Amino acid sequence: MRSPDVNAVLAGFRGVAGYLGAVLGADAYRKYLEHHEASGHTSPPLTEREFWRDRTDRQDTSPQGRCC
Amino acid sequence: MGTMPEGTQRESTNSSMHATAQLEDGIVPDPSLPPTSVDESVRDSAERTWTPAKIALWAAIALLGGVAWFMLAIIRGETVNAIWFVFASVCTYLIGYRFYSKVIERYLLKPNDRRATPAEYKADGKDYVRTDRNVLFGHHFAAIAGAGPLVGPVIAAQMGYLPGTIWIIIGVVLAGAVQDYLVLFFSMRRGGRSLGQMAREELGVIGGTAALVATLLIMVIIVAILALVVVNALGESPWGVFSVGMTIPIALFMGVYLRFIRPGKVMEVSLIGFVLLMAAIIGGGAVAGTEWGAAFFHLDKVTIAWGLIIYGFIAAILPVWLLLAPRDYLSTFMKIGVIVMLALAIIVVRPEITVPAFSEYAGRDNGPVFSGAVFPFLFVTIACGALSGFHALIASGTTPKLIEKERQTRLIGYGGMLMESFVAIMALVAAISIDRGIYFAMNAPVALTGGTVETAAAWVNGLGLSGVNITAGDLAQTAKDVGEQSIVSRSGGAPTLAVGLAHIMQQFIGGTAMMAFWYHFAIMFEALFILTAVDAGTRVARFMLQDSIGNFVPKFKEHSWRPGAWLCTAIMVAAWGAVLLMGVTDPLGGINTLFPLFGIANQLLAAIALSVCLAIAAKRTALKYLWIVAAPLAFAAVVTITASFYKIFSPVPAVGYFANNAAFAKALADGKTSFGTAKTQAAMEAVVRNTMIQGWLSIIFVVLSIIVIVTAVMATIKALRNTAAGLPNAENEDPARASRVFAPAGFVPTAAERDLVTEWNQHPAGERLEKSGHH
């Protein structure tokens, strides 16, 4: 059994990691699936590999600015 | 979408919450859903009720801020503790955020949470995605903050700490954060349209075209000068060249890993990249310690500049997944980590600052780090952190497509910029925590310091600065501590910040033995931010150029047409590359003459962005609230136009480009073989050429900006006249649609927002989102 303190630390760590991941955009595929589900598409969603390929390939023609 | 008759109200247990359904905003909410906005009257009464606890809290914040400002500005002791910078800035930001941004929200922007944002009505799961406000805050911050706020304040420290501190803190509250907030909001209301498109719509063909050309030129200057900062930091530094060079194979590896091995494992690959990056920094020390390593990676600035130009071209035509995307992950990861670390270190270590509030150069216009008087040159030297026009391109780019609710723009636009300002304050603190003699030896051009520790020490001691007395040994020891061969004339801000950061961090973790690591850690992240900005800037500029040429040769508008893409990339890289080489080889010291141009360019862009905002605001608000936009616009316009006029017309050669040009041309005509800091005829010819280009760039910028400002003022007057005459103004906003979601506006939800969130959570999940079924 883990003590409650350890669990709290682990939860805190997961929270920070989850936040950092979300800022980096690591949850983009999950959000795409949610959207796909919610919008009632009948076609199957892109696979994870297809989704990330499509995402970076579209950035080739629509670059995002990065400031100084 | 709900099709209930207009005005139908939903049965509810807490009917006071739903009075907003009667608002006359032309929006018909779905009656089956809970309200999508907190009721106006509930929010109003909560905001206007001052409980004793609330009064005590804000009184305490105001008092602490006041004491901190008093310690910084009035008390004249031997030293001032760095913690006062933290208190003065944070308390002022809190007050600005709570009170001033509320004024902007309430009287100028009037966000309406009943209205769907582009992330909702254009939702596609890819580009338009509703994003949690706290996540989007981090995302937006990572996009706007880079090396800029780390460099400007360091260079401005020549004047003492107070002028820079006041401008960074007051400037952001009244100007910088206002610009970011307005642009973000207006772009969001227009489906995420870019600044250029908004300028075209609001200002017409002439104003719009001038804004586009100015933006393109300004981007070239900004990319060139950021690149110059990297070149100056890496020149003659084998350690730096090795570890920054290693970021390229690391990014390539990450790109391949994400594409082919484990797609989508962004966090995992970022961690791997981070570990490799640390290994590259530590390995750099070992490599630079060997004889072959020191010889192989010891590159002069011209070589590094050419390397960067070639790299810039290749990076901009490579697919995004291979280099740009992975490096962007790494850069974002580092950005957040570094800033948290720096803030912690400053709060824990609390260094004593010996730099005076106003230095000997505050009242003069011939400082060695940058020339010109406090007004206007301090205000252009510090652009990022106080007012940065470049942000307008970000705030009208990705972020407006991700906003979940209209009211969140205040947190993300205004709040995000306050955060960048705090980074600038911490950079200032780090830079002024080092000895003032070392500061001047590092930041003055070689022409003044002579380039060796002996000549530099003699020159610094001869300046007659109070309390400054350094020896050649001090300079040599500092260089040894940070693992460099020399720190004399390492201008550009980045090395000074790195020394300051190493100085603070070694007291926090590791002691003197770790100083070299911390120094190269700082150089590494600054280089990483700048290389990402150079890449992205080149790409964005290339697309702008392609679209512009496409108006005459339609083929260029096809973004996938390779010859067009390569040609436009080559043109953009050649443009910034030429300015970069000019800066690197400038006998007068590139940063010292070019940095003002960077600040002027950045703030002219701010003036352009604010002009567009003024023209839009005039259509939606009464004249008496237009000062919110007009005041920062007037200030930015006066500062940048005055600075440009000094640069163009000043008879002082150190300040005016053409005066300098004339002085050197005359010397050449007189047959002199050396003049001022130029020791050869070729160097003199270089000065004549460079000053001519810099002078003409200043003229073009200022003329284009004046055109934009004048067209914006004309559009504003027209809109105000229409309003006065009761005529409608052309509205370019997307049509209002009813929102079908709710989320709180700030970091901490209010009581009313919490109640509403609970109500939404109880609502069946399947009925919350619109089933559109299109695509």
Side-chain angles (χ1 to χ4, degrees), chain A residues 17 19 22-24 26 31-32 35 38-39 41 48-49 52-54 56-61 63-68, chain B residues 123-124 126-127 129-130 134 139 143-144 146-149 259-260 264 319-320 328-329 390-391 394 543 773-775:
Chain A
Y19 178 76
V23 169
L24 290 176
K31 299 192 77 160
Y32 161 76
H35 169 79
S39 54
H41 289 296
E48 187 161 16
R49 191 173 284 258
W52 286 101
R53 271 188 186 229
D54 172 68
T56 44
D57 290 350
R58 275 180 309 115
Q59 280 174 13
D60 273 333
T61 49
Q64 299 170 10
R66 275 287 177 270
C67 192
C68 24
Chain B
D124 61 1
K126 293 170 179 173
D127 295 322
V129 183
R130 284 187 291 117
N134 298 327
H139 189 89
I144 61 171
R259 180 90 167 180
F260 300 110
V320 166
D328 199 33
Y329 290 136
F390 213 103
H391 292 189
I394 314 288
F543 281 105
H774 55 80
H775 294 287

Short mmCIF file of all heavy atoms in Angstrom, two decimals, chain A residues 17 19 22-24 26 31-32 35 38-39 41 48-49 52-54 56-61 63-68, chain B residues 123-124 126-127 129-130 134 139 143-144 146-149 259-260 264 319-320 328-329 390-391 394 543 773-775:
data_model
loop_
_atom_site.label_atom_id
_atom_site.label_comp_id
_atom_site.label_asym_id
_atom_site.label_seq_id
_atom_site.Cartn_x
_atom_site.Cartn_y
_atom_site.Cartn_z
N ALA A 17 2.45 17.06 -15.40
CA ALA A 17 2.81 16.43 -16.67
C ALA A 17 1.65 16.55 -17.66
O ALA A 17 1.87 16.84 -18.84
CB ALA A 17 3.16 14.97 -16.45
N TYR A 19 -0.63 18.87 -17.72
CA TYR A 19 -0.75 20.27 -18.16
C TYR A 19 0.31 20.58 -19.22
O TYR A 19 0.01 21.13 -20.27
CB TYR A 19 -0.58 21.21 -16.96
CG TYR A 19 -0.64 22.66 -17.35
CD1 TYR A 19 -1.85 23.26 -17.66
CD2 TYR A 19 0.51 23.43 -17.45
CE1 TYR A 19 -1.92 24.59 -18.05
CE2 TYR A 19 0.46 24.76 -17.84
CZ TYR A 19 -0.76 25.34 -18.14
OH TYR A 19 -0.82 26.64 -18.54
N ALA A 22 -0.56 19.04 -22.43
CA ALA A 22 -1.65 19.73 -23.12
C ALA A 22 -1.14 21.01 -23.77
O ALA A 22 -1.53 21.35 -24.88
CB ALA A 22 -2.77 20.04 -22.13
N VAL A 23 -0.23 21.72 -23.08
CA VAL A 23 0.33 22.95 -23.67
C VAL A 23 1.12 22.60 -24.93
O VAL A 23 1.07 23.32 -25.93
CB VAL A 23 1.21 23.69 -22.64
CG1 VAL A 23 1.99 24.81 -23.32
CG2 VAL A 23 0.35 24.26 -21.53
N LEU A 24 1.83 21.48 -24.90
CA LEU A 24 2.59 21.07 -26.08
C LEU A 24 1.66 20.58 -27.19
O LEU A 24 2.06 20.49 -28.34
CB LEU A 24 3.56 19.94 -25.72
CG LEU A 24 4.76 20.30 -24.84
CD1 LEU A 24 5.55 19.05 -24.50
CD2 LEU A 24 5.67 21.30 -25.53
N ALA A 26 -0.04 17.53 -26.86
CA ALA A 26 0.04 16.07 -26.91
C ALA A 26 -1.33 15.42 -26.95
O ALA A 26 -1.47 14.28 -27.37
CB ALA A 26 0.82 15.57 -25.69
N LYS A 31 -8.54 14.91 -28.61
CA LYS A 31 -9.54 15.94 -28.86
C LYS A 31 -10.18 15.77 -30.24
O LYS A 31 -11.36 16.04 -30.43
CB LYS A 31 -8.91 17.33 -28.72
CG LYS A 31 -8.38 17.56 -27.32
CD LYS A 31 -8.04 18.99 -27.09
CE LYS A 31 -9.31 19.79 -26.84
NZ LYS A 31 -9.02 21.04 -26.17
N TYR A 32 -9.36 15.33 -31.19
CA TYR A 32 -9.90 15.08 -32.53
C TYR A 32 -10.94 13.97 -32.48
O TYR A 32 -12.02 14.07 -33.07
CB TYR A 32 -8.75 14.72 -33.48
CG TYR A 32 -9.20 14.02 -34.73
CD1 TYR A 32 -9.80 14.73 -35.77
CD2 TYR A 32 -9.06 12.64 -34.87
CE1 TYR A 32 -10.25 14.09 -36.91
CE2 TYR A 32 -9.49 11.99 -36.00
CZ TYR A 32 -10.08 12.72 -37.02
OH TYR A 32 -10.53 12.07 -38.15
N HIS A 35 -14.10 15.21 -31.00
CA HIS A 35 -14.84 16.02 -31.96
C HIS A 35 -15.53 15.12 -32.99
O HIS A 35 -16.69 15.31 -33.34
CB HIS A 35 -13.90 16.98 -32.67
CG HIS A 35 -14.51 17.66 -33.86
ND1 HIS A 35 -15.36 18.73 -33.73
CD2 HIS A 35 -14.46 17.39 -35.18
CE1 HIS A 35 -15.79 19.10 -34.92
NE2 HIS A 35 -15.26 18.29 -35.83
N ALA A 38 -18.48 13.51 -31.38
CA ALA A 38 -19.57 14.42 -31.04
C ALA A 38 -20.27 14.94 -32.27
O ALA A 38 -21.46 15.25 -32.24
CB ALA A 38 -19.02 15.58 -30.21
N SER A 39 -19.55 15.08 -33.39
CA SER A 39 -20.16 15.70 -34.55
C SER A 39 -20.89 14.66 -35.40
O SER A 39 -21.38 14.99 -36.47
CB SER A 39 -19.10 16.43 -35.37
OG SER A 39 -18.05 15.55 -35.69
N HIS A 41 -20.01 11.97 -37.16
CA HIS A 41 -19.52 11.49 -38.46
C HIS A 41 -19.81 10.00 -38.59
O HIS A 41 -19.71 9.25 -37.63
CB HIS A 41 -18.01 11.68 -38.55
CG HIS A 41 -17.62 13.12 -38.69
ND1 HIS A 41 -17.96 13.89 -39.76
CD2 HIS A 41 -16.91 13.92 -37.86
CE1 HIS A 41 -17.48 15.10 -39.60
NE2 HIS A 41 -16.85 15.15 -38.45
N GLU A 48 -4.30 7.15 -35.33
CA GLU A 48 -3.39 8.07 -34.65
C GLU A 48 -2.25 8.48 -35.58
O GLU A 48 -1.90 9.65 -35.68
CB GLU A 48 -2.83 7.41 -33.38
CG GLU A 48 -2.02 8.37 -32.55
CD GLU A 48 -1.83 7.94 -31.12
OE1 GLU A 48 -2.07 6.76 -30.82
OE2 GLU A 48 -1.43 8.79 -30.30
N ARG A 49 -1.68 7.48 -36.27
CA ARG A 49 -0.57 7.76 -37.19
C ARG A 49 -1.01 8.71 -38.29
O ARG A 49 -0.33 9.69 -38.59
CB ARG A 49 -0.07 6.44 -37.77
CG ARG A 49 1.23 6.52 -38.52
CD ARG A 49 1.71 5.13 -38.90
NE ARG A 49 2.29 4.44 -37.75
CZ ARG A 49 3.60 4.32 -37.54
NH1 ARG A 49 4.45 4.85 -38.39
NH2 ARG A 49 4.07 3.68 -36.49
N TRP A 52 -1.53 12.41 -36.97
CA TRP A 52 -0.32 13.21 -36.72
C TRP A 52 0.37 13.56 -38.01
O TRP A 52 0.94 14.64 -38.15
CB TRP A 52 0.62 12.48 -35.76
CG TRP A 52 0.08 12.53 -34.36
CD1 TRP A 52 -0.58 11.53 -33.70
CD2 TRP A 52 0.11 13.65 -33.46
NE1 TRP A 52 -0.96 11.96 -32.46
CE2 TRP A 52 -0.56 13.25 -32.28
CE3 TRP A 52 0.63 14.94 -33.54
CZ2 TRP A 52 -0.70 14.09 -31.18
CZ3 TRP A 52 0.48 15.78 -32.47
CH2 TRP A 52 -0.19 15.36 -31.30
N ARG A 53 0.33 12.66 -39.00
CA ARG A 53 0.91 12.97 -40.31
C ARG A 53 0.18 14.15 -40.92
O ARG A 53 0.78 15.11 -41.38
CB ARG A 53 0.75 11.78 -41.24
CG ARG A 53 1.91 10.89 -41.12
CD ARG A 53 1.90 9.81 -42.16
NE ARG A 53 3.00 8.96 -41.80
CZ ARG A 53 3.91 8.55 -42.62
NH1 ARG A 53 3.85 8.85 -43.89
NH2 ARG A 53 4.92 7.83 -42.20
N ASP A 54 -1.14 14.05 -40.90
CA ASP A 54 -1.97 15.10 -41.48
C ASP A 54 -1.70 16.43 -40.78
O ASP A 54 -1.58 17.47 -41.40
CB ASP A 54 -3.44 14.69 -41.34
CG ASP A 54 -4.37 15.81 -41.75
OD1 ASP A 54 -4.39 16.13 -42.94
OD2 ASP A 54 -5.06 16.37 -40.87
N THR A 56 1.01 17.56 -39.07
CA THR A 56 2.28 18.23 -39.40
C THR A 56 2.33 18.59 -40.88
O THR A 56 2.94 19.60 -41.24
CB THR A 56 3.49 17.36 -39.02
OG1 THR A 56 3.23 16.03 -39.41
CG2 THR A 56 3.77 17.44 -37.54
N ASP A 57 1.70 17.79 -41.73
CA ASP A 57 1.75 18.13 -43.15
C ASP A 57 0.95 19.40 -43.44
O ASP A 57 1.33 20.18 -44.32
CB ASP A 57 1.21 16.97 -44.00
CG ASP A 57 2.17 15.79 -43.99
OD1 ASP A 57 3.30 15.97 -43.49
OD2 ASP A 57 1.80 14.69 -44.45
N ARG A 58 -0.13 19.59 -42.69
CA ARG A 58 -0.89 20.83 -42.91
C ARG A 58 -0.13 22.05 -42.42
O ARG A 58 -0.28 23.13 -42.93
CB ARG A 58 -2.27 20.74 -42.25
CG ARG A 58 -3.28 20.05 -43.16
CD ARG A 58 -4.65 19.95 -42.56
NE ARG A 58 -4.57 19.40 -41.24
CZ ARG A 58 -4.89 20.07 -40.13
NH1 ARG A 58 -5.33 21.30 -40.23
NH2 ARG A 58 -4.79 19.50 -38.96
N GLN A 59 0.73 21.83 -41.40
CA GLN A 59 1.54 22.96 -40.93
C GLN A 59 2.53 23.43 -41.99
O GLN A 59 3.02 24.55 -41.94
CB GLN A 59 2.30 22.57 -39.66
CG GLN A 59 1.43 22.63 -38.42
CD GLN A 59 2.14 22.11 -37.20
OE1 GLN A 59 3.35 21.92 -37.21
NE2 GLN A 59 1.41 21.88 -36.14
N ASP A 60 2.87 22.55 -42.95
CA ASP A 60 3.77 22.95 -44.03
C ASP A 60 3.21 24.11 -44.81
O ASP A 60 3.95 24.96 -45.30
CB ASP A 60 4.00 21.78 -44.99
CG ASP A 60 5.13 20.88 -44.51
OD1 ASP A 60 6.02 21.40 -43.81
OD2 ASP A 60 5.12 19.69 -44.83
N THR A 61 1.88 24.14 -44.97
CA THR A 61 1.29 25.20 -45.77
C THR A 61 0.60 26.27 -44.92
O THR A 61 0.15 27.25 -45.45
CB THR A 61 0.26 24.63 -46.77
OG1 THR A 61 -0.61 23.77 -46.06
CG2 THR A 61 0.94 23.85 -47.87
N PRO A 63 1.97 27.93 -41.68
CA PRO A 63 2.92 28.01 -40.58
C PRO A 63 2.38 28.84 -39.43
O PRO A 63 1.62 29.78 -39.63
CB PRO A 63 4.13 28.70 -41.20
CG PRO A 63 3.56 29.51 -42.30
CD PRO A 63 2.37 28.77 -42.80
N GLN A 64 2.78 28.46 -38.21
CA GLN A 64 2.40 29.24 -37.03
C GLN A 64 3.57 30.14 -36.68
O GLN A 64 4.70 29.68 -36.66
CB GLN A 64 2.11 28.31 -35.86
CG GLN A 64 0.97 27.35 -36.13
CD GLN A 64 0.88 26.29 -35.04
OE1 GLN A 64 1.53 26.39 -34.02
NE2 GLN A 64 0.07 25.29 -35.29
N GLY A 65 3.26 31.38 -36.38
CA GLY A 65 4.33 32.30 -36.01
C GLY A 65 4.87 31.96 -34.64
O GLY A 65 4.18 31.40 -33.80
N ARG A 66 6.12 32.26 -34.43
CA ARG A 66 6.72 32.15 -33.11
C ARG A 66 7.40 33.48 -32.84
O ARG A 66 8.13 33.97 -33.67
CB ARG A 66 7.77 31.04 -33.08
CG ARG A 66 7.17 29.68 -32.80
CD ARG A 66 6.76 29.56 -31.36
NE ARG A 66 6.12 28.28 -31.07
CZ ARG A 66 4.81 28.08 -31.16
NH1 ARG A 66 4.03 29.05 -31.58
NH2 ARG A 66 4.30 26.93 -30.83
N CYS A 67 7.09 34.03 -31.69
CA CYS A 67 7.57 35.39 -31.49
C CYS A 67 8.98 35.43 -30.93
O CYS A 67 9.53 34.44 -30.51
CB CYS A 67 6.63 36.16 -30.59
SG CYS A 67 7.04 37.88 -30.62
N CYS A 68 9.48 36.61 -30.94
CA CYS A 68 10.83 36.86 -30.45
C CYS A 68 10.87 36.67 -28.96
O CYS A 68 10.60 37.25 -28.13
CB CYS A 68 11.21 38.27 -30.79
SG CYS A 68 9.82 39.36 -30.99
N ALA B 123 -15.67 24.45 -35.48
CA ALA B 123 -14.93 23.29 -34.95
C ALA B 123 -14.67 22.24 -36.01
O ALA B 123 -15.57 21.84 -36.75
CB ALA B 123 -15.73 22.68 -33.81
N ASP B 124 -13.38 21.85 -36.13
CA ASP B 124 -13.05 20.78 -37.08
C ASP B 124 -12.16 19.72 -36.44
O ASP B 124 -11.71 18.80 -37.10
CB ASP B 124 -12.35 21.36 -38.32
CG ASP B 124 -11.05 22.06 -37.97
OD1 ASP B 124 -10.69 22.08 -36.78
OD2 ASP B 124 -10.40 22.58 -38.88
N LYS B 126 -9.26 19.96 -35.60
CA LYS B 126 -7.85 20.10 -35.98
C LYS B 126 -7.33 21.51 -35.73
O LYS B 126 -6.52 21.73 -34.84
CB LYS B 126 -7.67 19.74 -37.46
CG LYS B 126 -7.94 18.26 -37.73
CD LYS B 126 -8.00 18.00 -39.22
CE LYS B 126 -8.23 16.52 -39.50
NZ LYS B 126 -8.46 16.31 -40.93
N ASP B 127 -7.78 22.47 -36.52
CA ASP B 127 -7.31 23.85 -36.34
C ASP B 127 -8.19 24.63 -35.38
O ASP B 127 -7.72 25.49 -34.66
CB ASP B 127 -7.29 24.59 -37.68
CG ASP B 127 -6.27 23.99 -38.63
OD1 ASP B 127 -5.20 23.59 -38.14
OD2 ASP B 127 -6.56 23.89 -39.83
N VAL B 129 -10.27 24.19 -32.33
CA VAL B 129 -10.55 23.25 -31.26
C VAL B 129 -10.72 24.03 -29.96
O VAL B 129 -9.86 24.83 -29.60
CB VAL B 129 -9.38 22.25 -31.08
CG1 VAL B 129 -9.72 21.24 -30.01
CG2 VAL B 129 -9.07 21.55 -32.39
N ARG B 130 -11.84 23.83 -29.26
CA ARG B 130 -12.01 24.48 -27.97
C ARG B 130 -10.95 23.97 -27.02
O ARG B 130 -10.74 22.76 -26.88
CB ARG B 130 -13.40 24.17 -27.41
CG ARG B 130 -14.51 24.95 -28.08
CD ARG B 130 -15.83 24.75 -27.38
NE ARG B 130 -16.32 23.39 -27.58
CZ ARG B 130 -16.50 22.53 -26.59
NH1 ARG B 130 -16.24 22.87 -25.35
NH2 ARG B 130 -16.94 21.32 -26.84
N ASN B 134 -6.68 27.38 -19.16
CA ASN B 134 -5.36 27.35 -18.54
C ASN B 134 -4.32 26.77 -19.49
O ASN B 134 -3.18 27.23 -19.53
CB ASN B 134 -5.41 26.54 -17.24
CG ASN B 134 -6.35 27.18 -16.23
OD1 ASN B 134 -6.48 28.40 -16.19
ND2 ASN B 134 -7.03 26.37 -15.44
N HIS B 139 -0.11 27.85 -23.82
CA HIS B 139 0.15 27.72 -25.24
C HIS B 139 0.43 29.09 -25.88
O HIS B 139 1.39 29.28 -26.61
CB HIS B 139 -1.09 27.08 -25.86
CG HIS B 139 -0.93 26.67 -27.27
ND1 HIS B 139 -0.47 25.44 -27.63
CD2 HIS B 139 -1.13 27.34 -28.42
CE1 HIS B 139 -0.41 25.37 -28.94
NE2 HIS B 139 -0.81 26.51 -29.44
N ALA B 143 3.94 30.89 -27.33
CA ALA B 143 4.04 31.42 -28.69
C ALA B 143 4.52 32.86 -28.72
O ALA B 143 5.20 33.27 -29.65
CB ALA B 143 2.69 31.31 -29.40
N ILE B 144 4.18 33.65 -27.69
CA ILE B 144 4.58 35.06 -27.74
C ILE B 144 5.94 35.31 -27.11
O ILE B 144 6.65 36.21 -27.51
CB ILE B 144 3.54 36.01 -27.08
CG1 ILE B 144 3.32 35.70 -25.61
CG2 ILE B 144 2.24 36.03 -27.84
CD1 ILE B 144 2.49 36.75 -24.87
N GLY B 146 9.80 34.72 -26.17
CA GLY B 146 10.98 34.06 -26.69
C GLY B 146 12.22 34.74 -26.16
O GLY B 146 12.30 35.05 -24.97
N ALA B 147 13.16 35.02 -27.06
CA ALA B 147 14.40 35.64 -26.62
C ALA B 147 14.27 37.15 -26.46
O ALA B 147 15.08 37.77 -25.79
CB ALA B 147 15.51 35.31 -27.61
N GLY B 148 13.25 37.75 -27.08
CA GLY B 148 13.10 39.20 -27.05
C GLY B 148 13.13 39.80 -25.66
O GLY B 148 13.95 40.67 -25.36
N PRO B 149 12.23 39.33 -24.75
CA PRO B 149 12.22 39.91 -23.41
C PRO B 149 13.49 39.57 -22.62
O PRO B 149 13.72 40.15 -21.55
CB PRO B 149 10.99 39.27 -22.75
CG PRO B 149 10.68 38.07 -23.56
CD PRO B 149 11.13 38.38 -24.95
N ARG B 259 7.31 10.63 -36.21
CA ARG B 259 6.65 10.34 -37.49
C ARG B 259 6.52 8.84 -37.70
O ARG B 259 5.49 8.36 -38.15
CB ARG B 259 7.49 10.95 -38.62
CG ARG B 259 6.93 10.74 -40.01
CD ARG B 259 6.01 11.85 -40.39
NE ARG B 259 5.67 11.88 -41.79
CZ ARG B 259 4.87 12.80 -42.31
NH1 ARG B 259 4.36 13.73 -41.55
NH2 ARG B 259 4.57 12.79 -43.58
N PHE B 260 7.59 8.11 -37.37
CA PHE B 260 7.62 6.70 -37.76
C PHE B 260 7.59 5.72 -36.59
O PHE B 260 7.11 4.62 -36.73
CB PHE B 260 8.87 6.41 -38.61
CG PHE B 260 8.92 7.24 -39.86
CD1 PHE B 260 9.86 8.25 -40.01
CD2 PHE B 260 8.00 7.03 -40.88
CE1 PHE B 260 9.88 9.02 -41.15
CE2 PHE B 260 8.04 7.79 -42.04
CZ PHE B 260 8.98 8.80 -42.17
N GLY B 264 2.57 10.69 -32.08
CA GLY B 264 1.68 11.26 -31.06
C GLY B 264 2.22 11.23 -29.65
O GLY B 264 1.62 11.81 -28.76
N PRO B 319 10.27 19.60 -44.64
CA PRO B 319 8.92 19.46 -44.08
C PRO B 319 8.91 19.80 -42.59
O PRO B 319 9.90 19.58 -41.89
CB PRO B 319 8.59 17.98 -44.30
CG PRO B 319 9.81 17.34 -44.82
CD PRO B 319 10.78 18.38 -45.24
N VAL B 320 7.79 20.33 -42.13
CA VAL B 320 7.67 20.78 -40.74
C VAL B 320 7.94 19.65 -39.75
O VAL B 320 8.57 19.85 -38.72
CB VAL B 320 6.28 21.40 -40.51
CG1 VAL B 320 6.00 21.57 -39.03
CG2 VAL B 320 6.18 22.75 -41.20
N ASP B 328 10.10 22.88 -31.92
CA ASP B 328 9.12 23.71 -31.25
C ASP B 328 8.69 23.07 -29.93
O ASP B 328 8.52 23.75 -28.92
CB ASP B 328 7.91 23.89 -32.18
CG ASP B 328 7.08 25.09 -31.79
OD1 ASP B 328 7.68 26.07 -31.30
OD2 ASP B 328 5.86 25.04 -31.94
N TYR B 329 8.52 21.74 -29.92
CA TYR B 329 8.20 21.05 -28.67
C TYR B 329 9.30 21.29 -27.64
O TYR B 329 9.04 21.61 -26.49
CB TYR B 329 8.07 19.54 -28.91
CG TYR B 329 6.86 19.14 -29.71
CD1 TYR B 329 6.94 18.21 -30.73
CD2 TYR B 329 5.62 19.69 -29.43
CE1 TYR B 329 5.84 17.83 -31.46
CE2 TYR B 329 4.50 19.33 -30.16
CZ TYR B 329 4.61 18.40 -31.18
OH TYR B 329 3.51 18.03 -31.89
N PHE B 390 4.99 42.34 -32.66
CA PHE B 390 5.03 40.99 -33.22
C PHE B 390 3.90 40.13 -32.64
O PHE B 390 3.39 39.23 -33.30
CB PHE B 390 6.39 40.36 -32.89
CG PHE B 390 6.90 39.42 -33.94
CD1 PHE B 390 7.89 39.82 -34.82
CD2 PHE B 390 6.40 38.14 -34.05
CE1 PHE B 390 8.35 38.95 -35.79
CE2 PHE B 390 6.87 37.26 -35.02
CZ PHE B 390 7.85 37.67 -35.90
N HIS B 391 3.52 40.41 -31.39
CA HIS B 391 2.48 39.62 -30.76
C HIS B 391 1.16 39.70 -31.52
O HIS B 391 0.34 38.79 -31.45
CB HIS B 391 2.22 40.10 -29.33
CG HIS B 391 3.37 39.84 -28.42
ND1 HIS B 391 3.31 40.01 -27.08
CD2 HIS B 391 4.61 39.40 -28.69
CE1 HIS B 391 4.47 39.70 -26.54
NE2 HIS B 391 5.28 39.33 -27.50
N ILE B 394 0.69 36.83 -33.63
CA ILE B 394 0.34 35.58 -32.94
C ILE B 394 -1.11 35.65 -32.47
O ILE B 394 -1.87 34.70 -32.61
CB ILE B 394 1.25 35.36 -31.70
CG1 ILE B 394 2.71 35.61 -32.03
CG2 ILE B 394 1.01 33.98 -31.09
CD1 ILE B 394 3.36 34.59 -32.88
N PHE B 543 5.29 32.86 -46.88
CA PHE B 543 3.90 32.75 -47.32
C PHE B 543 3.29 34.11 -47.60
O PHE B 543 2.51 34.28 -48.54
CB PHE B 543 3.06 31.99 -46.28
CG PHE B 543 3.27 30.52 -46.36
CD1 PHE B 543 4.04 29.86 -45.41
CD2 PHE B 543 2.74 29.79 -47.41
CE1 PHE B 543 4.24 28.49 -45.51
CE2 PHE B 543 2.95 28.42 -47.51
CZ PHE B 543 3.71 27.78 -46.55
N GLY B 773 -23.18 16.85 -38.09
CA GLY B 773 -23.26 15.83 -39.12
C GLY B 773 -22.70 16.25 -40.47
O GLY B 773 -22.76 15.48 -41.42
N HIS B 774 -22.17 17.47 -40.57
CA HIS B 774 -21.58 17.85 -41.86
C HIS B 774 -20.17 17.26 -41.98
O HIS B 774 -19.82 16.39 -41.22
CB HIS B 774 -21.59 19.38 -42.06
CG HIS B 774 -20.94 20.13 -40.97
ND1 HIS B 774 -19.60 20.28 -40.87
CD2 HIS B 774 -21.48 20.77 -39.89
CE1 HIS B 774 -19.33 21.00 -39.79
NE2 HIS B 774 -20.44 21.31 -39.19
N HIS B 775 -19.36 17.76 -42.89
CA HIS B 775 -18.02 17.27 -43.24
C HIS B 775 -18.15 16.10 -44.19
O HIS B 775 -18.65 15.06 -43.79
CB HIS B 775 -17.18 16.81 -42.04
CG HIS B 775 -16.83 17.95 -41.14
ND1 HIS B 775 -15.92 18.90 -41.47
CD2 HIS B 775 -17.29 18.30 -39.92
CE1 HIS B 775 -15.84 19.78 -40.49
NE2 HIS B 775 -16.66 19.43 -39.54
#
